[in-house]
Amino acid sequence: MLVLSACGNGSLGSGLGSLGFGTREPPIETRTAQEIYLGAEKLYDEGDPQKAGQQFSEVERLYPYSEWSKRAMLMSAFAYHEASKYADSRAAAERYLEFYPADVDAPYAQFLIALSYYDQIVDIGRDQSNAFDALQEMRDIIERYPDSEYAKSAQMKFELALDHLAGKEMEIGRYYLSRGFYTAAINRFRVVVEDYQTTTQTPEALYRLVEAYLSLGLVHEAQTAAAILGYNFQGTDWYQSAYRLLTGRGVEPGNVGDSWLNQTYRQVVQGKWR
């Protein structure tokens, strides 16, 4: 009692305020769409993108048909992505495209979806499902929004993801080759040559085919693989190594025999697709 009378009501109120009891924000439901949106921007600027994404989503929840909701939907996708909350980012971007498929910012929403997969691509020793999903989404941007500012970046990331998948095939192929499982190795290198031929992995894949076929005694196939390698990548060390392997056996690169590689040779070197 003596303490209360000494401090007075005003001092007590001041003390509680200093502890934070008098500075609480009003419930979010009582705030306008603009106030919530600007509060979310402030959270992002202060370095908390996850909370910002959550608060942007509140605009959508409380004011679903407002212009602020439209803006907040895209901003929540952006903020969640910055917070590495990729599933939440993708969900927000997908909602945006569902409601505003023809909007001027639709390409950016699609790009955020693609990035949500692309930024989760892991090293080639692990599952590559995100790389496959990223390829599909980047392709959608290139095809649906070819004139957008995101098409060029999507094309670059598409090629990088493709190279990543080819690298996975090469890693497995090299593993099989080193252990003498030549047919299994050939199957992996063939995937690179046929499905990922525009990637940086192709020269090595052709060289490894020369190695594997020679190991099996299939000289004609090795010659053809080397011929394709020489036509496309003659200045590389891979071709020089393949050439030495063949000449060491008394043969040279050439389109000989009758295998899947001869069809590839006709297409790539001779331009004959039938």
Side-chain angles (χ1 to χ4, degrees):
M1 296 296 293
L2 291 174
V3 174
L4 287 174
S5 62
C7 292
N9 289 338
S11 296
L12 178 62
S14 175
L16 291 173
S18 67
L19 293 173
F21 293 109
T23 58
R24 289 179 179 174
E25 292 185 346
I28 198 166
E29 288 80 6
T30 66
R31 297 157 64 187
T32 67
Q34 182 178 8
E35 288 172 339
I36 300 171
Y37 184 95
L38 294 178
E41 280 192 335
K42 185 171 183 291
L43 285 169
Y44 181 84
D45 291 340
E46 291 173 347
D48 198 339
Q50 182 173 345
K51 284 187 178 179
Q54 293 168 345
Q55 187 152 318
F56 280 124
S57 296
E58 287 296 298
V59 180
E60 180 188 351
R61 180 177 71 87
L62 295 170
Y63 302 93
Y65 303 109
S66 67
E67 184 63 25
W68 286 105
S69 173
K70 177 183 177 182
R71 295 166 61 180
M73 202 181 300
L74 197 58
M75 283 301 297
S76 66
F78 167 73
Y80 276 133
H81 185 270
E82 292 297 296
S84 300
K85 304 294 288 185
Y86 298 116
D88 292 327
S89 173
R90 185 162 59 249
E94 287 172 346
R95 288 197 305 277
Y96 188 90
L97 289 175
E98 181 180 353
F99 285 104
Y100 312 106
D103 190 75
V104 64
D105 288 320
Y108 180 61
Q110 185 70 49
F111 189 62
L112 284 174
I113 293 172
L115 283 181
S116 74
Y117 292 115
Y118 182 84
D119 287 348
Q120 292 186 86
I121 294 177
V122 294
D123 62 84
I124 59 175
R126 298 170 61 186
D127 176 66
Q128 299 302 308
S129 59
N130 285 317
F132 282 107
D133 290 332
L135 277 176
Q136 182 59 56
E137 297 297 337
M138 293 298 175
R139 182 185 289 113
D140 284 348
I141 295 170
I142 296 165
E143 293 177 352
R144 294 171 60 186
Y145 310 108
D147 300 323
S148 74
E149 61 183 297
Y150 307 105
K152 184 176 180 179
S153 180
Q155 181 66 49
M156 180 185 70
K157 288 179 169 56
F158 179 90
E159 292 171 0
L160 289 172
L162 202 66
D163 201 270
H164 192 86
L165 290 172
K168 176 66 174 182
E169 296 294 331
M170 290 300 300
E171 180 190 51
I172 298 172
R174 285 191 295 266
Y175 174 85
Y176 287 141
L177 185 64
S178 67
R179 283 156 180 77
F181 303 132
Y182 301 118
T183 301
I186 287 167
N187 289 337
R188 294 294 181 166
F189 301 140
R190 178 174 180 174
V191 169
V192 175
V193 172
E194 292 189 325
D195 297 342
Y196 303 115
Q197 59 186 250
T198 61
T199 70
T200 61
Q201 307 293 333
T202 303
E204 183 185 353
L206 287 164
Y207 169 74
R208 299 300 178 189
L209 283 169
V210 174
E211 280 190 318
Y213 278 127
L214 285 178
S215 297
L216 289 173
L218 300 174
V219 178
H220 287 174
E221 286 80 355
Q223 288 177 270
T224 307
I228 298 169
L229 178 58
Y231 180 81
N232 291 281
F233 310 102
Q234 188 169 10
T236 65
D237 291 338
W238 296 117
Y239 176 68
Q240 299 304 320
S241 296
Y243 187 83
R244 285 194 296 270
L245 280 178
L246 288 175
T247 54
R249 299 287 186 95
V251 294
E252 292 191 354
N255 181 30
V256 291
D258 185 18
S259 71
W260 67 273
L261 279 164
N262 300 104
Q263 176 65 25
T264 301
Y265 183 91
R266 287 191 290 271
Q267 293 172 350
V268 173
V269 179
Q270 299 176 339
K272 298 177 180 177
W273 295 87
R274 292 185 180 180

